[in-house]
Amino acid sequence: MAIFMVCFFNYMLRVNMSINLIAMVQPITNNNKTHIAECLIINGKMNQSDDFSQLSVVPDYGVRYTWTSKQQGLILAAYFWGSILTSIPGGYLAERFGPTKTIAISNIVSALVTFLTPFVADWSWIAVIAFRFILGLMAGVCYPALHCMVSRWVPPDEKGKFGGALLGGTIGTVVTWPLSGSIIEHLGWSWAFYIQGGLVLAFSCVWLIAVADSPDTHPRISKEEKFYINKCLGEGVGKVKATPPYLKIFASIPFWALAILHFGNLWGLYLLLTAGPKYMSEVLGFNLGHSGLLAALPYLARAISGFVFGFVGDVLRKHQCLSVTTIRKLFVTTSHFLPGVLLLTILCAGCNITLCIALITLSLGFNGSSSITNIQNNQDLSPNFAGTIYGIINCIGGTTGFFTPMITGYLTADHNGLKEWHIIFAIGASVYISTGIVFCIFGSGDQQPWNQIDTKQVEGVDNAAFDGGASKETQTTENTKV
């Protein structure tokens, strides 16, 4: 639950700007006429010759800024500029100093930055970019740190379920967008920042009290549970701090296959994460509250399917029905290929709003199976350095977080209609499918030789710690039970 909630709040602060920004800026106008969603016109709900005077009056959600489409794209992208910079050091920091403290500091600073965002918005859009960049810097360490924690706590046959827990961010999106829309409509957009920042700050206090870095350091875990976890982890996870073998990692073909697969996954995810509400509001024609709710539905489908696919993956692995490599490659079909095909199908849906929403929901729903493909594969390759690996691939994949809103902003700068969005979805589909093909050719689910820690390179290590990956206390408990 703790891992789930970290992901939940991480995404709450990540995605709130997608909704808040709609209420913070003046609607785009052409020839002194407010932009009207193209699908409202095509579906006969509005005529180009209608009187726009009433539509020109925008709701009063607070002060509105005259930020351009490109400036809005830069604001949405700034978070991801920061997050990719700390993804790699985030894994190393968690492995060196412990994931609990790393995540706590990240969350506390992120909450404060979010709380102060409405104040800096009055200065300049550049100040908002700076604060979103800082937020990204803090949040970038979370997922690598969580993978470090999973490698220390979770038995191999149960990692599918915990891979589903790492999709807690998806539920964060499901809750945040409707919550932000409701808060904005009733209290104004500034309160969306205040309330969400306060929630994260409160959770950080609970996290520090309830969570520990490993079973051996948790003050309230039972001896039986500690023994079970350490026995299941076996030799794959050492109990020492070591410098990751970066050269060997970067020379590994399975690592690069995973990095490419993760890049494709995040492209599709961040495309709908940053631009989904804009598409719902400005093209399909939903109001702010409905845009948040409908844009969140695909993420609910993704979260549910993530747990379902994670369970299926655990069953297949436990009963050894298929090799780990086969499982990973088999489910790329549902995590990448089908989502790509469904995004392409949107090109044929036109302004059939029900069909568009259904296709987007199915696309992200099938992508939930990434809980047993790119989200788990780093644990296969190297349990000892799972945090470092995830940090690296998240750094590479995180670049999609600023590519997608910048591309969207560029393509919709002069006209925000179906033609432009068809290009955006076609690009997303191509990335999904091509990266999946690369992994199916070069990917692997086997533990790599460079997972083993060289004791000569570890300072102040009791070599007995490497004996089966278990502590002396664990070995004593085992002998007693035998």
Side-chain angles (χ1 to χ4, degrees):
M1 177 57 74
I3 292 174
F4 179 91
M5 293 307 297
V6 169
C7 299
F8 179 96
F9 285 115
N10 180 282
Y11 264 71
M12 175 174 281
L13 301 189
R14 178 185 303 202
V15 306
N16 61 0
M17 186 60 80
S18 297
I19 289 291
N20 296 356
L21 195 59
I22 297 174
M24 294 171 68
V25 299
Q26 291 284 358
I28 298 174
T29 60
N30 291 310
N31 299 323
N32 298 320
K33 294 181 179 179
T34 302
H35 170 77
I36 302 301
E38 185 172 337
C39 284
L40 290 180
I41 299 172
I42 293 177
N43 289 335
K45 296 180 180 180
M46 191 76 61
N47 295 319
Q48 288 282 16
S49 58
D50 285 349
D51 181 9
F52 292 101
S53 59
Q54 184 177 356
L55 295 170
S56 299
V57 179
V58 295
D60 182 13
Y61 298 138
V63 61
R64 287 186 180 262
Y65 305 103
T66 56
W67 298 337
T68 67
S69 178
K70 291 181 180 179
Q71 288 169 343
Q72 293 174 49
L74 291 173
I75 290 172
L76 292 173
Y79 175 98
F80 300 96
W81 297 341
S83 65
I84 65 170
L85 294 179
T86 51
S87 288
I88 295 177
Y92 176 77
L93 289 172
E95 290 162 357
R96 176 66 63 173
F97 301 107
T100 304
K101 292 180 180 178
T102 303
I103 291 171
I105 294 172
S106 164
N107 282 344
I108 291 171
V109 176
S110 296
L112 294 175
V113 168
T114 300
F115 196 86
L116 293 173
T117 297
F119 297 99
V120 302
D122 282 335
W123 297 350
S124 170
W125 64 276
I126 297 177
V128 177
I129 286 180
F131 264 53
R132 292 291 294 180
F133 177 77
I134 295 171
L135 182 65
L137 285 176
M138 293 297 104
V141 306
C142 279
Y143 275 85
L146 287 175
H147 277 267
C148 175
M149 183 167 282
V150 168
S151 70
R152 298 180 182 186
W153 274 94
V154 183
D157 290 343
E158 299 179 22
K159 286 185 177 179
K161 290 178 287 187
F162 279 83
L166 290 169
L167 294 178
T170 303
I171 298 296
T173 304
V174 171
V175 172
T176 301
W177 280 347
L179 176 63
S180 291
S182 180
I183 293 173
I184 290 169
E185 290 181 340
H186 290 88
L187 300 174
W189 61 260
S190 60
W191 279 97
F193 290 102
Y194 299 150
I195 292 174
Q196 291 162 9
L199 288 173
V200 174
L201 193 60
F203 168 74
S204 300
C205 299
V206 176
W207 169 266
L208 284 171
I209 296 171
V211 180
D213 290 336
S214 69
D216 291 330
T217 60
H218 200 291
R220 292 175 294 278
I221 191 173
S222 67
K223 291 184 178 180
E224 291 77 12
E225 186 177 3
K226 183 190 297 185
F227 167 75
Y228 170 75
I229 293 173
N230 283 325
K231 182 180 179 182
C232 290
L233 292 176
E235 298 181 1
V237 181
K239 299 180 180 296
V240 296
K241 301 172 182 178
T243 301
Y246 290 109
L247 291 178
K248 293 180 180 179
I249 291 174
F250 285 120
S252 170
I253 293 178
F255 161 78
W256 283 110
L258 168 60
I260 291 171
L261 186 73
H262 194 65
F263 180 92
N265 177 73
L266 291 186
W267 186 289
L269 179 63
Y270 290 162
L271 167 62
L272 297 178
L273 198 67
T274 58
K278 182 181 179 71
Y279 175 69
M280 302 283 187
S281 175
E282 299 181 5
V283 179
L284 298 184
F286 291 100
N287 62 36
L288 188 61
H290 289 163
S291 294
L293 180 62
L294 290 170
L297 283 179
Y299 293 89
L300 178 61
R302 185 174 188 262
I304 294 172
S305 70
F307 283 103
V308 172
F309 281 113
F311 174 78
V312 172
D314 283 346
V315 171
L316 291 175
R317 185 166 181 175
K318 184 176 182 179
H319 294 284
Q320 299 181 344
C321 301
L322 300 168
S323 69
V324 176
T325 299
T326 302
I327 292 172
R328 301 293 179 245
K329 294 183 177 181
L330 175 64
F331 282 95
V332 167
T333 302
T334 51
S335 69
H336 284 67
F337 294 152
L338 278 178
V341 171
L342 288 166
L343 282 184
L344 285 176
T345 309
I346 294 176
L347 308 186
C348 304
C351 277
N352 187 327
I353 295 175
T354 302
L355 183 57
C356 286
I357 301 297
L359 290 172
I360 293 174
T361 301
L362 285 172
S363 178
L364 273 186
F366 280 115
N367 181 250
S369 60
S370 61
S371 63
I372 53 173
T373 55
N374 55 283
I375 290 179
Q376 271 198 61
N377 192 227
N378 61 317
Q379 304 280 343
D380 303 327
L381 301 181
S382 179
N384 276 323
F385 303 110
T388 293
I389 294 174
Y390 194 83
I392 297 172
I393 66 173
N394 220 35
C395 175
I396 297 170
T399 59
T400 63
F402 55 82
F403 285 149
T404 52
M406 288 176 67
I407 290 173
T408 301
Y410 176 79
L411 290 175
T412 60
D414 297 324
H415 184 261
N416 186 17
L418 287 174
K419 179 180 179 182
E420 290 73 27
W421 280 93
H422 284 176
I423 296 174
I424 292 168
F425 287 135
I427 293 172
S430 301
V431 174
Y432 257 143
I433 295 171
S434 60
T435 55
I437 292 173
V438 171
F439 182 82
C440 287
I441 297 173
F442 299 106
S444 174
D446 299 329
Q447 189 175 113
Q448 300 301 295
W450 38 266
N451 175 64
Q452 301 304 317
I453 298 175
D454 185 355
T455 58
K456 296 179 182 179
Q457 297 179 358
V458 180
E459 298 179 0
V461 173
D462 179 1
N463 289 339
F466 288 91
D467 187 7
S471 65
K472 292 180 181 179
E473 179 183 349
T474 303
Q475 293 170 1
T476 300
T477 306
E478 185 176 1
N479 292 334
T480 300
K481 287 185 175 289
V482 173

